[in-house]
Protein backbone atom coordinates (compact mmCIF):
# COMPACT_ATOMS: atom_id res chain seq x y z
CA UNK A 1 0.00 0.00 0.00
CA UNK A 2 1.15 3.56 -0.61
CA UNK A 3 0.71 6.60 1.58
CA UNK A 4 -1.04 9.55 -0.05
CA UNK A 5 0.83 12.63 -1.23
CA UNK A 6 0.54 15.47 1.25
CA UNK A 7 1.32 19.17 1.30
CA UNK A 8 1.75 20.61 4.83
CA UNK A 9 -1.07 23.01 5.64
CA UNK A 10 -3.52 21.49 3.15
CA UNK A 11 -5.52 19.63 5.81
CA UNK A 12 -7.48 21.41 8.52
CA UNK A 13 -6.52 19.69 11.77
CA UNK A 14 -8.39 19.97 15.05
CA UNK A 15 -6.72 18.91 18.26
CA UNK A 16 -8.49 18.11 21.55
CA UNK A 17 -6.29 17.86 24.65
CA UNK A 18 -3.24 19.99 25.42
CA UNK A 19 -1.76 18.18 28.40
CA UNK A 20 1.94 17.31 28.41
CA UNK A 21 1.61 14.73 25.63
CA UNK A 22 -1.07 16.48 23.61
CA UNK A 23 0.73 19.82 23.66
CA UNK A 24 4.02 18.28 22.54
CA UNK A 25 2.33 16.38 19.71
CA UNK A 26 0.22 19.29 18.47
CA UNK A 27 3.30 21.49 18.62
CA UNK A 28 5.20 19.11 16.34
CA UNK A 29 2.39 19.23 13.78
CA UNK A 30 2.41 23.03 13.81
CA UNK A 31 6.20 23.15 13.57
CA UNK A 32 5.94 20.97 10.45
CA UNK A 33 3.75 23.61 8.81
CA UNK A 34 0.38 21.99 9.45
CA UNK A 35 -2.84 23.95 10.06
CA UNK A 36 -3.68 23.07 13.68
CA UNK A 37 -6.45 24.42 15.91
CA UNK A 38 -6.36 23.31 19.55
CA UNK A 39 -9.05 23.08 22.20
CA UNK A 40 -8.37 22.25 25.82
CA UNK A 41 -10.61 22.33 28.86
CA UNK A 42 -8.09 24.64 30.57
CA UNK A 43 -7.75 27.29 27.86
CA UNK A 44 -4.36 28.58 29.03
CA UNK A 45 -2.74 25.29 28.03
CA UNK A 46 -4.06 25.66 24.49
CA UNK A 47 -3.03 29.32 24.38
CA UNK A 48 0.56 28.34 25.14
CA UNK A 49 0.60 26.54 21.77
CA UNK A 50 -0.11 29.77 19.90
CA UNK A 51 3.61 30.48 20.25
CA UNK A 52 4.39 27.54 17.95
CA UNK A 53 1.75 28.39 15.37
CA UNK A 54 -1.43 26.72 16.60
CA UNK A 55 -4.79 28.46 16.59
CA UNK A 56 -6.93 28.27 19.74
CA UNK A 57 -10.56 27.13 19.64
CA UNK A 58 -13.07 28.65 22.04
CA UNK A 59 -15.23 25.52 22.03
CA UNK A 60 -15.10 21.96 20.72
CA UNK A 61 -17.81 23.01 18.27
CA UNK A 62 -15.19 25.14 16.49
CA UNK A 63 -13.48 21.91 15.39
CA UNK A 64 -16.50 20.14 13.90
CA UNK A 65 -15.87 21.23 10.31
CA UNK A 66 -12.21 20.19 10.28
CA UNK A 67 -10.85 17.46 8.02
CA UNK A 68 -9.43 15.44 10.90
CA UNK A 69 -9.61 15.86 14.68
CA UNK A 70 -7.05 14.27 16.99
CA UNK A 71 -7.96 13.46 20.58
CA UNK A 72 -5.37 13.09 23.31
CA UNK A 73 -7.21 13.02 26.62
CA UNK A 74 -6.54 11.39 29.96
CA UNK A 75 -8.96 8.46 29.93
CA UNK A 76 -12.15 6.74 28.71
CA UNK A 77 -14.60 9.09 30.44
CA UNK A 78 -12.85 12.13 28.99
CA UNK A 79 -12.89 10.66 25.47
CA UNK A 80 -16.61 9.92 25.69
CA UNK A 81 -17.25 13.42 27.03
CA UNK A 82 -15.39 15.33 24.30
CA UNK A 83 -16.93 13.21 21.53
CA UNK A 84 -20.49 12.50 22.69
CA UNK A 85 -21.09 14.57 25.83
CA UNK A 86 -22.88 17.91 25.99
CA UNK A 87 -21.64 20.03 23.05
CA UNK A 88 -19.26 17.22 22.10
CA UNK A 89 -17.58 16.94 18.73
CA UNK A 90 -20.15 14.50 17.31
CA UNK A 91 -23.36 15.97 18.73
CA UNK A 92 -24.33 18.15 15.74
CA UNK A 93 -25.27 15.88 12.82
CA UNK A 94 -25.06 18.77 10.36
CA UNK A 95 -21.47 19.65 11.25
CA UNK A 96 -19.05 16.76 11.60
CA UNK A 97 -15.31 16.24 11.03
CA UNK A 98 -14.06 13.94 8.30
CA UNK A 99 -12.21 11.66 10.72
CA UNK A 100 -11.32 11.25 14.39
CA UNK A 101 -7.88 9.94 15.35
CA UNK A 102 -7.74 8.95 19.01
CA UNK A 103 -4.27 8.83 20.53
CA UNK A 104 -5.49 8.46 24.11
CA UNK A 105 -4.90 5.39 26.25
CA UNK A 106 -8.37 3.87 26.61
CA UNK A 107 -9.77 0.37 26.89
CA UNK A 108 -10.98 -1.58 23.89
CA UNK A 109 -14.64 -1.33 24.97
CA UNK A 110 -14.59 2.48 25.08
CA UNK A 111 -12.71 2.63 21.80
CA UNK A 112 -15.24 0.31 20.13
CA UNK A 113 -18.14 2.38 21.49
CA UNK A 114 -16.67 5.62 20.13
CA UNK A 115 -15.92 3.90 16.82
CA UNK A 116 -19.58 2.83 16.62
CA UNK A 117 -20.83 6.37 17.26
CA UNK A 118 -18.49 7.71 14.59
CA UNK A 119 -19.63 5.07 12.10
CA UNK A 120 -23.28 5.91 12.76
CA UNK A 121 -22.55 9.53 11.92
CA UNK A 122 -20.42 8.80 8.86
CA UNK A 123 -17.15 9.80 10.53
CA UNK A 124 -14.07 7.60 10.16
CA UNK A 125 -12.35 6.58 13.41
CA UNK A 126 -8.75 5.50 13.90
CA UNK A 127 -7.33 4.09 17.13
CA UNK A 128 -3.78 5.43 17.38
CA UNK A 129 -2.27 4.88 20.85
CA UNK A 130 1.29 6.06 21.35
CA UNK A 131 4.52 4.80 22.86
CA UNK A 132 6.40 7.51 24.70
CA UNK A 133 5.95 10.60 26.85
CA UNK A 134 6.42 14.33 26.38
CA UNK A 135 10.20 14.12 26.42
CA UNK A 136 10.13 11.30 23.86
CA UNK A 137 7.87 13.43 21.63
CA UNK A 138 10.23 16.40 21.82
CA UNK A 139 13.16 14.14 20.93
CA UNK A 140 11.31 13.01 17.81
CA UNK A 141 11.17 9.38 18.97
CA UNK A 142 7.44 8.90 19.48
CA UNK A 143 5.86 5.87 17.81
CA UNK A 144 2.21 5.12 17.16
CA UNK A 145 0.24 1.98 16.34
CA UNK A 146 -2.90 2.48 14.29
CA UNK A 147 -6.02 0.50 13.40
CA UNK A 148 -9.22 1.32 11.60
CA UNK A 149 -10.23 1.88 7.97
CA UNK A 150 -7.17 1.44 5.78
CA UNK A 151 -8.23 4.26 3.45
CA UNK A 152 -8.34 6.68 6.37
CA UNK A 153 -4.97 5.47 7.62
CA UNK A 154 -3.42 6.20 4.23
CA UNK A 155 -4.79 9.74 4.32
CA UNK A 156 -3.54 10.62 7.81
CA UNK A 157 -0.23 8.71 7.77
CA UNK A 158 1.73 11.79 6.56
CA UNK A 159 0.41 13.72 9.58
CA UNK A 160 1.43 10.94 11.95
CA UNK A 161 4.92 10.96 10.46
CA UNK A 162 5.40 14.47 11.87
CA UNK A 163 4.88 13.17 15.40
CA UNK A 164 8.06 11.12 15.66
CA UNK A 165 9.39 7.96 14.09
CA UNK A 166 6.14 7.25 12.30
CA UNK A 167 3.19 4.96 12.77
CA UNK A 168 2.51 1.29 12.12
CA UNK A 169 -0.82 0.16 10.72
CA UNK A 170 -1.96 -3.16 12.22
CA UNK A 171 -5.41 -3.68 10.72
CA UNK A 172 -9.09 -2.93 11.12
CA UNK A 173 -11.12 -2.27 14.25
CA UNK A 174 -9.32 -1.90 17.57
CA UNK A 175 -6.29 -4.09 16.90
CA UNK A 176 -4.11 -1.12 17.88
CA UNK A 177 -5.43 -1.27 21.45
CA UNK A 178 -4.26 -4.88 21.81
CA UNK A 179 -0.91 -3.94 20.28
CA UNK A 180 -0.49 -1.20 22.91
CA UNK A 181 -1.39 -3.64 25.72
CA UNK A 182 1.22 -6.09 24.41
CA UNK A 183 3.74 -3.26 24.29
CA UNK A 184 3.07 -2.31 27.90
CA UNK A 185 3.37 -5.90 29.07
CA UNK A 186 6.85 -5.92 27.57
CA UNK A 187 7.61 -2.70 29.48
CA UNK A 188 6.90 -4.56 32.69
CA UNK A 189 8.77 -7.72 31.72
CA UNK A 190 11.87 -5.84 30.55
CA UNK A 191 11.91 -3.55 33.59
CA UNK A 192 11.62 -6.47 36.01
CA UNK A 193 14.43 -8.28 34.20
CA UNK A 194 16.53 -5.09 34.24
CA UNK A 195 15.89 -4.72 37.97
CA UNK A 196 16.98 -8.32 38.66
CA UNK A 197 20.24 -8.17 36.73
CA UNK A 198 21.10 -4.69 38.04
CA UNK A 199 20.67 -5.85 41.64
CA UNK A 200 22.72 -8.97 40.91
CA UNK A 201 25.52 -6.84 39.44
CA UNK A 202 25.52 -4.35 42.32
CA UNK A 203 25.47 -7.05 44.98
CA UNK A 204 28.47 -8.53 43.19
CA UNK A 205 30.41 -5.32 43.70
CA UNK A 206 29.62 -3.14 40.68
CA UNK A 207 28.07 0.30 40.63
CA UNK A 208 24.71 0.48 38.92
CA UNK A 209 25.97 3.23 36.65
CA UNK A 210 28.92 1.17 35.44
CA UNK A 211 26.86 -1.94 34.84
CA UNK A 212 24.12 -0.07 32.98
CA UNK A 213 26.70 1.78 30.90
CA UNK A 214 28.12 -1.57 29.81
CA UNK A 215 24.66 -3.00 29.13
CA UNK A 216 23.54 -0.01 27.10
CA UNK A 217 26.65 -0.17 24.91
CA UNK A 218 26.09 -3.87 24.23
CA UNK A 219 23.69 -5.52 21.79
CA UNK A 220 21.29 -5.97 24.72
CA UNK A 221 20.96 -2.23 25.25
CA UNK A 222 17.94 -0.46 23.82
CA UNK A 223 16.27 2.93 23.65
CA UNK A 224 14.21 1.86 26.64
CA UNK A 225 17.07 0.60 28.85
CA UNK A 226 18.99 3.82 28.17
CA UNK A 227 15.92 5.90 28.92
CA UNK A 228 15.32 4.09 32.23
CA UNK A 229 18.96 4.13 33.35
CA UNK A 230 18.91 7.57 35.05
CA UNK A 231 15.97 6.45 37.22
CA UNK A 232 17.85 3.31 38.23
CA UNK A 233 21.12 5.13 38.93
CA UNK A 234 19.67 8.14 40.75
CA UNK A 235 16.72 6.27 42.30
CA UNK A 236 14.49 8.96 40.81
CA UNK A 237 11.00 7.54 40.65
CA UNK A 238 9.19 10.61 39.34
CA UNK A 239 6.19 9.03 37.63
CA UNK A 240 6.02 8.51 33.90
CA UNK A 241 3.88 5.37 34.26
CA UNK A 242 2.66 4.05 37.60
CA UNK A 243 2.46 0.46 38.87
CA UNK A 244 -1.35 0.75 38.98
CA UNK A 245 -1.50 1.59 35.28
CA UNK A 246 0.95 -1.18 34.47
CA UNK A 247 -1.04 -3.71 36.51
CA UNK A 248 -4.17 -2.72 34.58
CA UNK A 249 -2.45 -3.49 31.28
CA UNK A 250 -1.21 -6.85 32.54
CA UNK A 251 -4.77 -7.68 33.59
CA UNK A 252 -6.09 -6.73 30.15
CA UNK A 253 -3.38 -8.80 28.49
CA UNK A 254 -4.25 -11.87 30.53
CA UNK A 255 -7.91 -11.54 29.55
CA UNK A 256 -6.90 -11.44 25.90
CA UNK A 257 -4.47 -14.32 26.42
CA UNK A 258 -7.25 -16.41 27.99
CA UNK A 259 -9.63 -15.68 25.13
CA UNK A 260 -6.98 -16.47 22.52
CA UNK A 261 -5.42 -19.44 24.35
CA UNK A 262 -1.94 -17.93 24.60
CA UNK A 263 0.25 -19.03 27.55
CA UNK A 264 2.27 -16.15 29.09
CA UNK A 265 4.45 -17.60 31.88
CA UNK A 266 7.14 -14.88 31.80
CA UNK A 267 4.50 -12.14 31.82
CA UNK A 268 2.79 -13.83 34.76
CA UNK A 269 6.00 -13.73 36.81
CA UNK A 270 6.54 -10.06 36.00
CA UNK A 271 2.92 -9.31 36.85
CA UNK A 272 3.45 -10.80 40.32
CA UNK A 273 6.33 -8.39 40.89
CA UNK A 274 4.20 -5.47 39.68
CA UNK A 275 1.45 -6.56 42.07
CA UNK A 276 3.97 -6.58 44.92
CA UNK A 277 4.85 -2.93 44.21
CA UNK A 278 1.15 -2.06 44.28
CA UNK A 279 0.69 -3.99 47.53
CA UNK A 280 3.56 -2.01 49.06
CA UNK A 281 1.44 1.13 48.68
CA UNK A 282 3.91 2.95 46.43
CA UNK A 283 1.34 3.49 43.70
CA UNK A 284 2.11 7.13 42.85
CA UNK A 285 5.73 6.58 41.82
CA UNK A 286 7.16 5.33 38.56
CA UNK A 287 7.05 1.60 37.89
CA UNK A 288 10.88 1.69 38.01
CA UNK A 289 10.38 1.08 41.74
CA UNK A 290 10.51 -2.57 40.70
CA UNK A 291 14.23 -2.02 41.30
CA UNK A 292 13.62 -1.15 44.97
CA UNK A 293 11.46 -4.21 45.49
CA UNK A 294 14.06 -6.50 43.93
CA UNK A 295 16.85 -4.96 46.05
CA UNK A 296 14.80 -5.37 49.22
CA UNK A 297 14.16 -9.02 48.44
CA UNK A 298 17.89 -9.49 47.84
CA UNK A 299 18.85 -7.83 51.14
CA UNK A 300 20.54 -4.94 49.33
CA UNK A 301 20.22 -1.33 50.47
CA UNK A 302 20.26 1.01 47.48
CA UNK A 303 21.67 4.53 47.54
CA UNK A 304 21.54 7.14 44.79
CA UNK A 305 24.70 7.35 42.68
CA UNK A 306 25.74 10.89 41.77
CA UNK A 307 26.88 10.09 38.25
CA UNK A 308 25.83 11.66 34.96
CA UNK A 309 23.85 9.20 32.86
CA UNK A 310 22.88 9.55 29.21
CA UNK A 311 19.16 8.83 28.79
CA UNK A 312 19.52 8.50 25.03
CA UNK A 313 16.99 11.26 24.40
CA UNK A 314 18.72 14.52 25.24
CA UNK A 315 22.01 13.89 23.46
CA UNK A 316 24.04 14.01 26.64
CA UNK A 317 24.20 13.20 30.30
CA UNK A 318 21.51 13.94 32.83
CA UNK A 319 22.47 14.86 36.34
Amino acid sequence: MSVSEHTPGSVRIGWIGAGRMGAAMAGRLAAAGEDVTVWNRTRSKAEALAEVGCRVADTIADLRDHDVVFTMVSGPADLAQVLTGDDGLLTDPDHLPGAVVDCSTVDTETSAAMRAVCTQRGVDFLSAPVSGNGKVVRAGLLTLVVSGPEETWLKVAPLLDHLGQGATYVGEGDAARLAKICHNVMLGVVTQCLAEITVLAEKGGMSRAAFLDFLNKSVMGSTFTRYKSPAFVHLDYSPTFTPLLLRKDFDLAFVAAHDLDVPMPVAAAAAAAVQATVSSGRVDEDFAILLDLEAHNAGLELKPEEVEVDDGLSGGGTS
Side-chain angles (χ1 to χ4, degrees):
M1 63 184 176
S2 60
V3 175
S4 62
E5 295 290 332
H6 174 71
T7 301
S10 62
V11 175
R12 297 187 67 203
I13 302 169
W15 192 281
I16 296 175
R20 282 179 293 183
M21 280 292 289
M25 293 167 70
R28 284 190 68 89
L29 284 175
E34 299 294 352
D35 180 347
V36 185
T37 302
V38 180
W39 178 87
N40 191 72
R41 184 178 290 110
T42 303
R43 183 184 172 91
S44 60
K45 292 183 178 180
E47 289 175 340
L49 287 166
E51 298 178 4
V52 295
C54 294
R55 296 184 178 89
V56 179
D58 293 321
T59 67
I60 292 178
D62 295 335
L63 306 179
R64 287 176 182 152
D65 61 349
H66 284 55
D67 298 306
V68 57
V69 176
F70 286 81
T71 50
M72 187 57 166
V73 295
S74 58
D78 299 290
L79 181 62
Q81 179 63 38
V82 300
L83 293 184
T84 62
D86 293 341
D87 300 319
L89 185 71
L90 305 175
T91 55
D92 183 349
D94 296 322
H95 297 88
L96 293 166
V100 171
V101 180
D102 178 49
C103 300
S104 314
T105 298
V106 300
D107 57 271
T108 301
E109 289 76 12
T110 298
S111 183
M114 294 302 100
R115 183 184 302 281
V117 173
C118 284
T119 300
Q120 291 168 4
R121 288 161 172 73
V123 177
D124 291 330
F125 183 89
L126 291 179
S127 301
V130 305
S131 172
N133 56 35
K135 188 172 184 179
V136 173
V137 178
R138 291 188 291 274
L141 297 175
L142 187 76
T143 55
L144 303 93
V145 59
V146 183
S147 61
E150 185 175 14
E151 183 178 356
T152 308
W153 146 251
L154 293 172
K155 291 177 181 177
V156 305
L159 304 179
L160 301 178
D161 285 343
H162 294 319
L163 298 176
Q165 298 190 102
T168 301
Y169 179 72
V170 293
E172 299 285 339
D174 287 297
R177 305 296 182 187
L178 178 58
K180 180 62 185 298
I181 290 168
C182 293
H183 168 281
N184 285 1
V185 167
M186 189 167 180
L187 281 183
V189 169
V190 171
T191 303
Q192 176 59 24
C193 178
L194 190 63
E196 292 177 14
I197 60 175
T198 300
V199 167
L200 177 62
E202 181 170 355
K203 198 164 185 183
M206 286 167 265
S207 74
R208 294 190 303 280
F211 171 70
L212 291 168
D213 181 63
F214 156 70
L215 181 76
N216 290 332
K217 289 176 179 176
S218 78
V219 295
M220 297 307 298
S222 68
T223 300
F224 178 72
T225 62
R226 284 187 288 275
Y227 173 64
K228 228 50 182 171
S229 289
F232 271 38
V233 171
H234 303 141
L235 306 185
D236 178 2
Y237 302 129
S238 301
T240 62
F241 195 56
T242 66
L244 280 175
L245 293 174
L246 184 55
R247 181 180 67 172
K248 179 194 70 175
D249 285 338
F250 270 101
D251 290 343
L252 291 171
F254 292 141
V255 170
H258 176 274
D259 293 343
L260 296 170
D261 289 326
V262 177
M264 300 181 70
V266 175
V274 173
Q275 177 59 58
T277 66
V278 173
S279 299
S280 75
R282 297 176 66 179
V283 295
D284 296 321
E285 297 175 84
D286 191 76
F287 71 103
I289 62 169
L290 285 165
L291 177 69
D292 273 9
L293 180 68
E294 182 64 25
H296 173 77
N297 291 340
L300 178 67
E301 181 181 356
L302 299 179
K303 295 181 180 179
E305 295 178 1
E306 301 301 324
V307 180
E308 286 197 352
V309 183
D310 185 0
D311 64 3
L313 300 180
S314 55
T318 60
S319 59

